[in-house]
Amino acid sequence: MSFFKNTLWLKRISILTSFLIVSLILWNTYVFFQKFKKAERAKMELHGDAIKEFNTTTIAELDENMSPLPSKIIEKNKDVPMILVDFDGKIKNWNNLDIKRELDIKIEKDSIYLEKQLAIMKSQNEPIKVEYLGKADYIYYKDSDLLDKLTYYPLALLLILVLFLAVIYLFFNSNKVAEQNKLWTGMAKETAHQIGTPLSSLLGWIAILKTENVNDKYVDEIEKDVHRLNTIANRFSKIGSLPELKKTEIVKETKAAFDYLQSRSSKQISFSFSSSNNELFANLNTELYSWVIENLIKNAIDAMLGKGTLEVAISDTNKKIKITVSDTGKGMSKSMYKKIFKPGFTTKKRGWGLGLSLSKRIIEDYHNGKIFVKKSELGKGTTFEVQLLKN
């Protein structure tokens, strides 16, 4: 219990710390962005002053008295895209755009490109008015590449945060699952150990009953149930460890599980067993495989409320053996097909919801096969299918 509490607190602290760090970085980025944006506007205003200086100075003054500073200001602007328009909105000049410098725009595609860029600039920044000799030009500009990249920086940071939180979640969740698996494994092995003691005693009592004048039929049935208890104990002892697989005749093993449950089920259920071949071989752990078949048959019996038709059929292809268990029970919707294999999921009033999840692990993890709902219809029944590789 303390492990889960510590894990929960660590998760909360990690998330809170990450949120605070990212919030500070985002705030600093925003402040820096605003300062950088103001600096670019100041640069463009200076650019406007330089243009004004050129337009209000005569050629003679340019040659004799004008400082080289305005020309340097204009030349130094190599990163902020801009367009200069006159009072009527006609484009006079531009800078830092992907287009040939043609004062008289003759190429139609260039004209369209400039108009699009001008529209972008108008949406991004207020124009800078350049007044001279009773006239007025306007400088439109858009954010530099560096400023554009800064706008995407917070998004990248948020993505990193999401990935970081996902890693934290997966880490703690995997630890939790591992701890739960360890707990279940320990409980299963302890259960198997506890069952072992009374089993040994029961086997001794059976041996005594065989020497007494007791109906052999009763003794045989008791012996079958004791052997079943022993099988169950062996199944639980194998949870958490990799089971040994052996080449096994699958029709015989499936029929044995089928017969055992048929003899102990309601007589109102019609049982049917069929196989395309008398012998089919696969690599199996017989105790775990029979557990799966019994789970599927029990689920079918429960779904029919003790009355209906239950069919177990075995068929094969070149590489696979298919075992289907069909019933005429209540059926299920398609949305339930995957949910029923999740641990803890059950539609019964009693039960842990572990039977099908264990079956899935046994077939897919231990036997490298598949188990799934082949078909189901509400009010008509369900068919489960198990697929195993032929040997």
Side-chain angles (χ1 to χ4, degrees):
M1 199 69 180
S2 60
F3 171 82
F4 294 119
K5 284 184 178 179
N6 291 336
T7 299
L8 185 61
W9 275 108
L10 282 171
K11 188 185 292 185
R12 287 175 177 173
I13 291 169
S14 299
I15 292 171
L16 182 60
T17 303
S18 302
F19 179 78
L20 288 173
I21 291 172
V22 171
S23 297
L24 287 172
I25 294 173
L26 287 174
W27 174 251
N28 286 329
T29 303
Y30 173 77
V31 171
F32 178 72
F33 179 85
Q34 293 301 321
K35 288 182 177 179
F36 200 81
K37 196 171 181 69
K38 287 180 180 178
E40 284 197 351
R41 184 164 184 86
K43 182 190 288 186
M44 295 312 299
E45 287 174 348
L46 199 59
H47 191 102
D49 291 339
I51 292 174
K52 180 179 179 180
E53 185 73 21
F54 270 119
N55 288 323
T56 56
T57 306
T58 64
I59 296 174
E61 288 174 331
L62 281 172
D63 292 335
E64 295 178 9
N65 302 321
M66 186 171 178
S67 165
L69 184 58
S71 60
K72 284 185 178 180
I73 291 172
I74 294 172
E75 289 172 3
K76 286 289 184 182
N77 179 24
K78 295 182 179 179
D79 53 353
V80 182
M82 58 148 292
I83 294 177
L84 182 68
V85 301
D86 61 18
F87 183 77
D88 296 323
K90 184 179 178 181
I91 296 174
K92 296 176 65 177
N93 205 345
W94 61 89
N95 200 12
N96 301 320
L97 290 173
D98 253 345
I99 189 172
K100 293 179 181 179
R101 182 169 294 280
E102 302 273 354
L103 290 177
D104 182 14
I105 303 169
K106 295 177 181 179
I107 305 174
E108 185 179 354
K109 65 177 182 179
D110 288 352
S111 177
I112 294 171
Y113 171 77
L114 282 172
E115 291 296 338
K116 285 182 178 179
Q117 293 299 311
L118 183 59
I120 294 170
M121 293 174 184
K122 287 180 178 179
S123 66
Q124 281 191 356
N125 298 291
E126 287 292 323
I128 296 170
K129 190 175 182 181
V130 182
E131 293 181 300
Y132 61 94
L133 303 176
K135 299 179 181 179
D137 289 343
Y138 294 90
I139 296 176
Y140 289 92
Y141 68 99
K142 66 177 184 177
D143 299 335
S144 64
D145 288 341
L146 180 58
L147 206 57
D148 280 339
K149 289 175 182 176
L150 277 176
T151 59
Y152 293 108
Y153 178 74
L155 294 176
L157 200 62
L158 288 173
L159 179 60
I160 292 170
L161 175 62
V162 170
L163 292 173
F164 178 68
L165 292 177
V167 170
I168 290 176
Y169 172 78
L170 291 173
F171 172 75
F172 285 112
N173 192 55
S174 63
N175 280 347
K176 183 178 178 181
V177 171
E179 189 72 14
Q180 288 175 337
N181 287 340
K182 187 178 179 181
L183 179 64
W184 282 112
T185 300
M187 288 177 64
K189 290 184 180 295
E190 180 62 22
T191 301
H193 177 71
Q194 293 295 334
I195 291 174
T197 302
L199 270 179
S200 299
S201 178
L202 284 171
L203 288 170
W205 283 110
I206 289 172
I208 292 173
L209 287 173
K210 285 182 177 180
T211 63
E212 301 291 334
N213 292 325
V214 179
N215 191 320
D216 290 341
K217 182 180 178 182
Y218 298 153
V219 176
D220 288 342
E221 289 302 315
I222 293 172
E223 191 170 18
K224 285 179 183 177
D225 287 332
V226 170
H227 282 307
R228 175 168 169 75
L229 283 173
N230 188 55
T231 299
I232 292 170
N234 286 335
R235 288 171 180 170
F236 276 101
S237 69
K238 286 179 170 61
I239 291 177
S241 57
L242 194 64
E244 183 182 356
L245 305 183
K246 294 181 180 178
K247 184 177 180 180
T248 307
E249 206 286 286
I250 199 169
V251 178
K252 178 183 176 182
E253 290 298 327
T254 308
K255 188 69 165 61
F258 175 87
D259 289 342
Y260 179 84
L261 290 175
Q262 181 183 14
S263 64
R264 286 159 175 75
S265 300
S266 169
K267 301 302 178 185
Q268 291 184 304
I269 296 177
S270 174
F271 284 82
S272 171
F273 183 91
S274 63
S275 176
S276 60
N277 289 286
N278 292 329
E279 288 188 342
L280 291 169
F281 292 91
N283 288 326
L284 296 178
N285 179 282
T286 55
E287 290 168 339
L288 293 181
Y289 170 74
S290 61
W291 194 357
V292 173
I293 299 302
E294 288 173 15
N295 270 328
L296 294 177
I297 293 174
K298 283 180 181 178
N299 279 342
I301 292 170
D302 291 340
M304 295 186 293
L305 302 176
K307 184 178 181 180
T309 300
L310 190 151
E311 298 179 0
V312 176
I314 302 176
S315 60
D316 68 308
T317 61
N318 291 333
K319 295 182 179 180
K320 293 180 180 179
I321 299 172
K322 297 179 180 179
I323 306 97
T324 58
V325 179
S326 305
D327 63 65
T328 55
K330 56 187 178 182
M332 69 182 82
S333 61
K334 286 188 176 181
S335 62
M336 300 277 285
Y337 282 18
K338 291 184 178 180
K339 289 181 181 178
I340 58 173
F341 291 103
K342 293 182 178 179
F345 182 86
T346 179
T347 57
K348 304 173 189 175
K349 292 182 179 179
R350 298 177 62 186
W352 292 66
L354 295 175
L356 287 174
S357 64
L358 282 170
S359 298
K360 187 176 180 69
R361 175 174 290 188
I362 289 167
I363 294 298
E364 297 188 357
D365 294 352
Y366 295 159
H367 289 83
N368 197 29
K370 289 182 180 180
I371 181 171
F372 54 92
V373 179
K374 185 178 181 180
K375 63 179 181 179
S376 185
E377 191 173 347
L378 290 172
K380 292 190 176 181
T382 302
T383 298
F384 283 88
E385 182 170 306
V386 175
Q387 293 182 359
L388 296 169
L389 297 174
K390 288 177 70 173
N391 187 322

